[in-house]
Amino acid sequence: MAALSNHPDDTASPQDSARDGAGVHTVDLTTATVRTLNAELHAPTARRYRVLSPRGAHAVAVGVDDELDIHVEGDVGYYCGGMNQGGTIVVDGSAGPGLAENMMSGTVRVRGDASQSAGATARGGLLVVEGTASMRCGISMKGVDIVVGGDVGPMSAFMAQAGRLVVCGDAGDGLGDSIYEARLYVRGKVGALGADCIEKEIRDEHRSELAELLTAAGMTDLAGDPAALAEFRRFGSARRLYHFTSERSGSY
Amino acid sequence: MSTSDGRGLRESATFDRATIAAIQHAAETGVYDIRGWGAKRPLPHFDDLLFLGASMSRYPLEGYRERCDTDVVLGDRHAERPLHLSTPVTIAGMSFGALSAQAKESLGRGASEVGTSTTTGDGGMTDEERGHSKTLVYQVLPSRYGMNPDHLRAADAIEVVLGQGAKPGGGGMLLGQKISDRVAGMRTLPPGIDQRSACRHPDWTGPDDLAIKILELREITDWQKPIYVKVGATRTYYDVKLAVAAGADVVVVDGMQGGTAATQEVFIEHVGIPILAAIPQAVQALSELGLHRKVQLVVSGGIRTGADVAKAMALGADAVAIGTAALIALGDNDPRWAKEYESIGSAAGFYDDFQDGRDPAGITTQDPELAARLDPLQGGRRIANYLRVLTLEAQTIARACGKGHLLHLEPEDLVSLTIEAAAMARVPLAGTSWIPGRTPL
Amino acid sequence: MCGIIGLHLRDPDLYPRLGQLLDTMLAGAVERGPDAAGIAVYGDRERVPEGHSAVSVLGAPDDPAAALGQLLPAVTASRAGATTVITAAVDPEALAAAVRSVAPEAKVVGIGSELVVYKDIGNPRELAETYDLASAHGWQGLAHTRMATESAITPEGSHPFSVGRDLCLVHNGSFSNHATIRRALRHEGIEFDSENDTEVAARFVAACLADGDDLEKALHRLGQEFDGFYTLLVTTADGFAVVRDEIACKPAIVAEHPRWVAMASEFRSLAELPGISQARVFEPDPGKVYAWQR
């Protein structure tokens, strides 16, 4: 049952992947399986990869453990770039749930939108969503930096432990609910804040941190525009739920 | 229960002394009671079952002479490298954080010595336990504390945890006393705070999405490692079917007697079902799918003796896991610490405050002085001894039933002492052929 | 737990391709629901001729047209797997009543003048062939693949649930207080075909519509009454609505294009739609009802 389509028995024919003159290894998912792709990325024979026609496939470029450049041309399904460690993965399209979940290091960039739980539990590296991110963006984030060009959905940064989330658009309701030590920056409107999340003063060091994050995300116009930077607000933990007490038992 | 001390005093069965104390505590503090250990209430359990040893109609095997194997293979449905264990008694998931590093190391040493597996917990993998565990199962939990692809690759199997028997449907709470710098660092949290764990996974919900999550884990680990799915026992028949539908190689079912480091008392005592009632449901689900013994079933929650091991396997489990019993083997609730238990308001044999980190035995603590009381070498030996006894006891029973392997035990080797257990375990009441609800009286 | 796909066509030039497009979309939902599958097609005039009605029946007698032909004009019957589709040149309720009179044991699982429903258990890909999905034409359709949670894998328990004229509902998720709502509906005299939690939602919506609610209001009322996680796709004689619960863990993705509106559990079901790269693709906000009309 539930025979998802990537079983190792499904092997690709040789013409499914090819290397061009510049040393870029191309894998076309019209004919090759995701298993073939990931097996190649886990024992890489090249440093640069093109992945064609993902058409919403799941688990594209997961478990990368090397400084590879991977360019995915199209839309991906669940968990693209999952647990990335050092890879630079660019998706020219949109991404399904759990984008770059538990990333350790490296960069994952999505040119389109990301579905729910983008950057979930990620511990390091940089996740850039140029479009919008859906619900629960940065849920339980543990050190990753996330920069979203558009909006993020409700319950983003839920239980966010560490790292930084920059939202250039609006944030949905419940932002930063039960947040620990993560730092949140939002330029647009913010819905109702989650439990224990409060607005905090934005000082010069925060503005420089913000400019650094935007620069790292390639959003240099915004990073270099003091007026735009001034529009961002900062949010973080009130640290009132750090110790369990009866007075706040309704917030747990 | 009523008592009289000669003055005609009578204790209320409804409002007994423990209930009165609980109401008084709630009124004083406004906080519910959080404690460790598992359910303490009386429950239908393996004690309510007995084996039908062979005599005339069947022939027993000679103890210590005639072969009765104990080895099991777990996870050969999809994984390239299934686990081969010498005994079906494994160590259940318990976190570094809940337990000291010395305790985790002891479990690893003991399990490795007898050729079985141990399991990480809600706090990541420590070098001590990886280093000292020949076979280590790595848990993927909702919190993903310390979750790390290197550890995923370093593990021998992966266990996706949906719930545990002490609190099916609940998240976790590790109180600040136990969040040492090292625990905090592994979990990316400030030291000393009360740490909450979520009740659902952050990036999937439901079996259809779990199937995709399992695919991702297989892809990351190149389809080598078995994937377990662990559930707390409740709607076990459905949950096992769905775990299999989602692609599990092994299903772990933890009954309500299963332990915890820190959970609300009300949760421990009132949510979930006994393991006795869960095993037949799980076996029915696997049998209907044609996968009994192909997708292996590991059960836990109240396993204490080799008889419990044998009974669980006779009901259809492929292996068992022990948690609380392993801690007791390590020295938990040992009378040698009686004075210290008294000093913290408990007593040897009653200590369940695993949440507060002051464990005199040095097991459920992060206090360096207390933790140093447990010597991992000695602890490892105790665990190995205990695991050997469990295995030998189970073998003794299996031989008495004429079985050449523990896996050859079957429900027909069992009878029940109570109608309740007969109905739950689906074995006849002793001396009859009556299984309530299944056969005519 | 399941996979959903739905397609509402705006451009009549695409009507002849409805079934072929749905068939392609279904490929992206098979793994989410390996136990069973059902489809619904609106406006296929070969399956429901103009001026006729259709009912979809489980457990139909061997030759229903012969028995019904005595009672109704222009009766046809065709069987596909567990489902028998019966048409006649009368209004849908008269047709359903006649079917019940000649086959009291049979269950009517689809009823309408635009709609045909097929449902059964088994591999979704094979069922799509059984239903001849690829040849369907019309202006709207949906398909559902099922991973059964708590109720049995039976044709009755398969989706879609079509419990009102030209009404269809499919679900991904699971409700956690449906037993109570089922009891309340039964108390009002509403009968059920299965133990499936989704059937409760379908009967609830139908009851709200019968009370005079519009679809949007009915779905809001559902959101107030039902606990649990759900993505629902509801189709009617003139439209198409999508709603997710307030927590919105179960996936849903909508694509809107000048020529069509589509929704699916996963993007991969939408990847081959004509013009997908120009479509506005978005995830429905929690608790919000999205509706499109002809």
Side-chain angles (χ1 to χ4, degrees):
Chain A
M1 297 176 76
L4 290 165
S5 58
N6 296 343
H7 196 271
D9 295 344
D10 306 336
T11 49
S13 55
Q15 67 268 27
D16 297 333
S17 53
R19 197 181 311 273
D20 69 14
V24 179
H25 191 112
T26 300
V27 180
D28 185 346
L29 292 177
T30 318
T31 44
T33 62
V34 170
R35 179 79 287 263
T36 311
L37 168 68
N38 286 324
E40 166 66 28
L41 296 177
H42 297 170
T45 58
R47 307 306 298 171
R48 296 172 62 202
Y49 289 87
R50 280 177 79 206
V51 180
L52 307 181
S53 300
R55 291 164 302 139
H58 303 319
V60 169
V62 296
V64 171
D65 189 20
D66 205 338
E67 292 177 2
L68 307 176
D69 275 311
I70 302 159
H71 196 96
V72 183
E73 299 179 14
D75 303 288
V76 291
Y78 284 50
Y79 307 127
C80 178
M83 301 207 191
N84 181 43
Q85 208 160 17
T88 299
I89 301 169
V90 176
V91 177
D92 242 328
S94 287
L99 170 70
E101 66 86 19
N102 216 88
M103 174 158 61
M104 303 299 290
S105 60
T107 302
V108 172
R109 175 185 296 275
V110 170
R111 303 263 187 225
D113 301 329
S115 179
Q116 60 176 306
S117 303
T121 75
R123 296 174 62 180
L126 174 67
L127 170 61
V128 182
V129 178
E130 295 187 2
T132 66
S134 177
M135 298 183 68
R136 289 177 269 273
C137 178
I139 183 172
S140 289
M141 54 193 281
K142 294 171 168 55
V144 67
D145 290 325
I146 305 177
V147 180
V148 180
D151 304 337
V152 296
M155 291 306 279
S156 288
F158 175 57
M159 283 188 150
Q161 295 173 217
R164 298 164 299 184
L165 169 65
V166 179
V167 181
C168 299
D170 302 339
D173 286 343
L175 179 70
D177 195 294
S178 303
I179 187 172
Y180 293 96
E181 295 294 302
R183 293 203 287 279
L184 317 178
Y185 297 97
V186 183
R187 186 184 185 192
K189 293 193 296 289
V190 176
L193 291 176
D196 214 27
C197 183
I198 53 170
E199 181 162 2
K200 296 188 168 185
E201 186 194 357
I202 185 156
R203 298 187 295 270
D204 286 347
E205 73 256 35
H206 301 120
R207 266 187 256 285
S208 18
E209 175 175 80
L210 183 56
E212 279 170 30
L213 288 165
L214 290 165
T215 305
M219 300 178 186
T220 45
D221 288 358
L222 213 50
D225 179 352
L229 289 181
E231 289 170 15
F232 280 89
R233 297 153 71 196
R234 180 169 77 101
F235 302 88
S237 180
R239 303 190 178 93
R240 285 186 300 243
L241 297 183
Y242 278 17
H243 295 284
F244 183 70
T245 61
S246 61
E247 288 74 24
R248 299 203 178 84
S249 57
S251 301
Y252 285 91
Chain B
M1 190 193 307
S2 61
T3 61
S4 168
D5 64 354
R7 288 179 291 160
L9 300 178
R10 180 176 174 186
E11 183 175 10
S12 167
T14 307
F15 292 92
D16 61 10
R17 275 167 284 184
T19 306
I20 290 170
I23 293 171
Q24 289 166 340
H25 180 261
E28 279 159 23
T29 64
V31 180
Y32 45 44
D33 190 23
I34 292 177
R35 66 167 172 87
W37 203 272
K40 293 185 169 185
R41 61 155 73 204
L43 290 165
H45 197 36
F46 295 120
D47 291 339
D48 300 323
L49 303 182
L50 296 172
F51 277 102
L52 300 175
S55 50
M56 189 84 88
S57 66
R58 296 185 178 196
Y59 309 116
L61 299 179
E62 192 63 64
Y64 312 104
R65 299 285 180 281
E66 287 158 355
R67 195 164 159 184
C68 176
D69 292 333
T70 64
D71 59 307
V72 291
V73 177
L74 301 180
D76 55 351
R77 182 189 183 199
H78 293 305
E80 282 177 24
R81 295 186 193 169
L83 304 190
H84 293 261
L85 305 181
S86 308
T87 168
V89 187
T90 68
I91 306 290
M94 291 177 278
S95 74
F96 168 66
L99 302 190
S100 67
Q102 290 89 332
K104 290 296 284 178
E105 180 181 335
S106 303
L107 295 172
R109 285 178 179 274
S112 300
E113 195 174 321
V114 301
T116 190
S117 62
T118 185
T119 312
T120 64
D122 195 0
M125 184 190 288
T126 65
D127 292 341
E128 291 95 327
E129 70 182 330
R130 175 63 282 188
H132 295 290
S133 303
K134 184 169 159 286
T135 307
L136 182 59
V137 182
Y138 185 45
Q139 289 192 328
V140 177
L141 294 119
S143 71
R144 310 279 166 88
Y145 289 135
M147 186 72 218
N148 183 320
D150 293 332
H151 290 163
L152 208 58
R153 287 183 280 257
D156 298 294
I158 296 160
E159 181 169 297
V160 181
V161 180
L162 280 82
Q164 66 187 83
K167 49 176 174 179
M173 166 84 83
L174 187 59
L175 297 184
Q177 298 92 308
K178 295 176 75 171
I179 308 282
S180 67
D181 288 351
R182 184 175 177 206
V183 172
M186 282 179 66
R187 300 181 184 211
T188 327
L189 284 168
I193 70 163
D194 294 348
Q195 163 259 291
R196 291 154 280 156
S197 301
C199 70
R200 294 196 310 271
H201 281 257
D203 56 354
W204 64 269
T205 311
D208 41 16
D209 291 333
L210 175 57
I212 306 172
K213 186 69 198 175
I214 287 177
L215 172 73
E216 184 209 11
L217 294 169
R218 290 200 194 280
E219 281 294 316
I220 290 172
T221 53
D222 293 310
W223 290 77
Q224 293 180 351
K225 299 172 200 306
I227 309 273
Y228 296 21
V229 171
K230 177 177 177 177
V231 293
T234 56
R235 294 179 169 89
T236 305
Y237 170 75
Y238 299 117
D239 289 342
V240 169
K241 279 202 165 176
L242 290 168
V244 172
D249 296 310
V250 174
V251 182
V252 183
V253 178
D254 189 23
M256 76 176 286
Q257 298 98 323
T260 172
T263 298
Q264 301 93 323
E265 158 102 4
V266 70
F267 218 140
I268 297 174
E269 296 288 354
H270 298 279
V271 184
I273 63 171
I275 193 63
L276 190 67
I279 298 172
Q281 289 191 44
V283 172
Q284 183 190 345
L286 292 169
S287 301
E288 286 177 10
L289 296 168
L291 292 170
H292 185 221
R293 305 250 183 255
K294 294 180 180 139
V295 169
Q296 286 79 27
L297 174 66
V298 179
V299 305
S300 54
I303 301 279
R304 305 149 301 175
T305 65
D308 292 344
V309 176
K311 289 169 185 175
M313 295 185 73
L315 290 176
D318 294 274
V320 303
I322 57 169
T324 306
L327 302 190
I328 295 168
L330 276 181
D332 174 63
N333 272 297
D334 191 320
R336 66 195 278 224
W337 307 111
K339 274 197 182 142
E340 295 197 39
Y341 285 125
E342 299 288 344
S343 75
I344 55 173
S346 188
F350 295 84
Y351 180 68
D352 61 9
D353 291 321
F354 297 166
Q355 80 287 349
D356 84 350
R358 293 184 295 166
D359 183 355
I363 298 166
T364 61
T365 183
Q366 296 302 317
D367 180 304
E369 282 181 29
L370 292 174
R373 292 178 176 182
L374 181 66
D375 171 11
L377 287 171
Q378 198 191 2
R381 273 196 299 275
R382 293 179 65 90
I383 291 293
N385 282 340
Y386 177 55
L387 289 168
R388 283 193 191 100
V389 170
L390 290 179
T391 309
L392 284 167
E393 286 179 340
Q395 270 177 308
T396 300
I397 288 172
R399 284 198 178 98
C401 294
K403 312 295 183 185
H405 197 292
L406 290 182
L407 285 168
H408 298 173
L409 287 163
E410 52 198 349
E412 288 74 9
D413 294 316
L414 291 169
V415 293
S416 173
L417 284 170
T418 66
I419 294 172
E420 288 82 358
M424 290 182 195
R426 306 181 191 177
V427 300
L429 193 65
T432 77
S433 57
W434 182 42
I435 303 175
R438 290 178 184 270
T439 58
L441 186 56
Chain C
M1 297 293 160
C2 312
I4 299 175
I5 59 161
L7 183 61
H8 175 89
L9 296 176
R10 290 166 157 168
D11 178 356
D13 289 349
L14 288 173
Y15 290 1
R17 290 176 60 195
L18 176 72
Q20 176 221 323
L21 294 172
L22 285 171
D23 195 51
T24 307
M25 292 174 76
L26 182 70
V30 170
E31 287 148 1
R32 297 189 71 86
D35 296 334
I39 65 167
V41 175
Y42 287 77
D44 185 332
R45 288 301 167 210
E46 283 181 16
R47 297 183 198 222
V48 195
E50 195 77 45
H52 288 61
S53 324
V55 294
S56 299
V57 179
L58 297 176
D62 282 344
D63 189 3
L68 288 165
Q70 315 288 320
L71 307 170
L72 304 172
V75 176
T76 69
S78 62
R79 184 181 286 267
T83 311
T84 303
V85 175
I86 303 171
T87 69
V90 289
D91 74 56
E93 284 73 22
L95 174 55
V99 168
R100 290 191 181 105
S101 73
V102 302
E105 304 301 308
K107 284 180 176 157
V108 174
V109 296
I111 171 168
S113 52
E114 292 280 331
L115 167 72
V116 278
V117 169
Y118 301 86
K119 55 200 235 176
D120 202 349
I121 59 171
N123 177 276
R125 276 254 60 96
E126 289 165 16
L127 288 174
E129 283 185 31
T130 304
Y131 308 147
D132 198 12
L133 174 62
S135 80
H137 50 92
W139 55 271
Q140 174 171 283
L142 59 78
H144 181 274
T145 62
R146 179 165 187 234
M147 184 184 282
T149 46
E150 291 185 9
S151 62
I153 301 170
T154 60
E156 290 80 6
S158 303
H159 302 219
F161 285 93
S162 174
V163 301
R165 188 169 172 168
D166 290 313
L167 174 71
C168 258
L169 182 145
V170 293
H171 172 206
N172 177 210
S174 88
F175 295 114
S176 44
N177 64 340
H178 58 281
T180 299
I181 298 167
R182 179 192 297 267
R183 277 189 288 273
L185 293 172
R186 274 197 175 131
H187 190 71
E188 292 169 21
I190 293 171
E191 291 176 17
F192 286 80
D193 291 333
S194 73
E195 290 304 310
N196 190 298
D197 59 336
T198 305
E199 186 181 353
V200 184
R203 303 263 174 208
F204 180 90
V205 169
C208 292
L209 296 176
D211 280 353
D213 290 354
D214 62 20
L215 186 57
E216 187 167 341
K217 184 165 181 211
L219 291 173
H220 279 301
R221 277 175 69 183
L222 181 146
Q224 286 161 4
E225 294 291 326
F226 282 72
D227 291 336
F229 290 1
Y230 53 87
T231 293
L232 299 176
L233 170 63
V234 186
T235 50
T236 62
D238 64 354
F240 185 88
V242 177
V243 65
R244 294 205 289 172
D245 66 88
E246 289 284 354
I247 299 171
C249 282
K250 296 314 295 177
I253 187 157
V254 174
E256 202 169 1
H257 185 275
R259 302 178 71 196
W260 46 263
V261 179
M263 81 77 63
S265 298
E266 298 178 21
F267 177 82
R268 56 184 177 156
S269 289
L270 308 177
E272 308 292 336
L273 286 172
I276 181 67
S277 57
Q278 291 90 49
R280 183 173 83 95
V281 180
F282 64 95
E283 289 189 351
D285 284 342
K288 185 171 166 185
V289 177
Y290 295 79
W292 292 267
Q293 289 206 306
R294 287 188 90 176

